[in-house]
């Protein structure tokens, strides 16, 4: 890693990984149906960890684009476009930032974040399982993906 700007990207990916791992652990710990404040704490901690994780991932993806001089997506659908573009190779510019499995997982956590932001009062843990699985996939693969990208762009 010769370019110091990769340090900032690596930090964003590390934070995203930590939040995704902890979101999985929070989900597996359960407690969503506990009485009173305990259930509230379990729900809010899980949803916030997922939201923070995906937001950190987006920050890292935007930094990758800035580092290589690629403009970030704009407009109403920029969040979805960012993931779609990160999963695409740009011949002569860069390889895909996220392989197909990671891009699909990132899209799942993006959709979960969107639902969680609008459903604080009606959280149901069962439909969240695909997002939890996606979080585990991202936690396991983001550091590897970044290493491959840096090796390709900054050998």
């Amino acid at each position: 890693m010769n370019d110091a700007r990769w340090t900032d990207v690596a930090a964003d990916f590390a934070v995203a990984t930590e939040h995704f791992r902890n979101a999985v652990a929070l989900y597996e710990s359960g407690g969503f149906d506990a009485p009173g404040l305990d259930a509230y704490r379990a729900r809010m901690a899980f949803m916030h960890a997922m939201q923070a994780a995906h937001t950190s991932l987006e920050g890292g993806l935007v930094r990758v684009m800035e580092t290589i001089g690629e403009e970030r997506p704009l407009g109403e659908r920029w969040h979805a476009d960012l993931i779609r573009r990160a999963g695409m190779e740009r011949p002569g510019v860069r390889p895909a930032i996220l392989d197909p499995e990671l891009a699909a997982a990132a899209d799942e956590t993006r959709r979960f974040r969107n639902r969680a932001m609008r459903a604080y009062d009606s959280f149901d843990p069962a439909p969240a399982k695909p997002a939890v699985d996606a979080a585990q996939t991202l936690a396991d693969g983001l550091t590897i993906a970044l290493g491959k990208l840096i090796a390709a762009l900054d050998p």
Side-chain angles (χ1 to χ4, degrees):
M1 182 163 46
N2 297 326
D3 191 326
R5 294 175 296 174
W6 290 119
T7 303
D8 298 328
V9 176
D12 285 339
F13 275 45
V15 168
T17 297
E18 177 185 18
H19 287 311
F20 281 130
R21 279 198 200 293
N22 287 328
V24 170
L26 288 165
Y27 183 85
E28 290 173 349
S29 293
F32 303 117
D33 295 326
L37 187 58
D38 290 337
Y40 177 82
R41 182 180 296 117
R43 290 190 311 266
M44 290 300 121
F46 167 68
M47 286 191 288
H48 182 72
M50 288 291 285
Q51 290 175 30
H54 187 81
T55 300
S56 297
L57 172 59
E58 283 182 340
L61 294 174
V62 167
R63 281 188 200 259
V64 167
M65 290 177 180
E66 290 171 349
T67 298
I68 62 173
E70 181 177 338
E71 294 195 22
R72 62 179 280 178
L74 301 173
E76 188 175 309
R77 292 187 36 84
W78 82 266
H79 299 281
D81 292 342
L82 178 67
I83 301 302
R84 180 186 50 77
R85 199 186 307 167
M88 296 172 34
E89 176 183 358
R90 297 204 44 231
V93 177
R94 63 161 173 80
I97 302 165
L98 303 174
D99 67 28
E101 181 182 25
L102 290 176
D107 199 48
E108 181 63 36
T109 61
R110 177 192 62 80
R111 287 191 303 273
F112 178 84
R113 181 183 63 182
N114 190 46
R115 287 189 306 272
M117 289 173 37
R118 289 161 178 73
Y120 281 126
D121 60 340
S122 62
F123 175 72
D124 180 359
K129 182 66 169 122
V132 173
D133 294 342
Q136 186 66 62
T137 297
L138 289 161
D140 293 343
L142 285 177
T143 301
I144 295 166
L146 182 59
K148 289 179 181 177
L149 179 70
I150 292 170
L153 295 177
D154 190 16

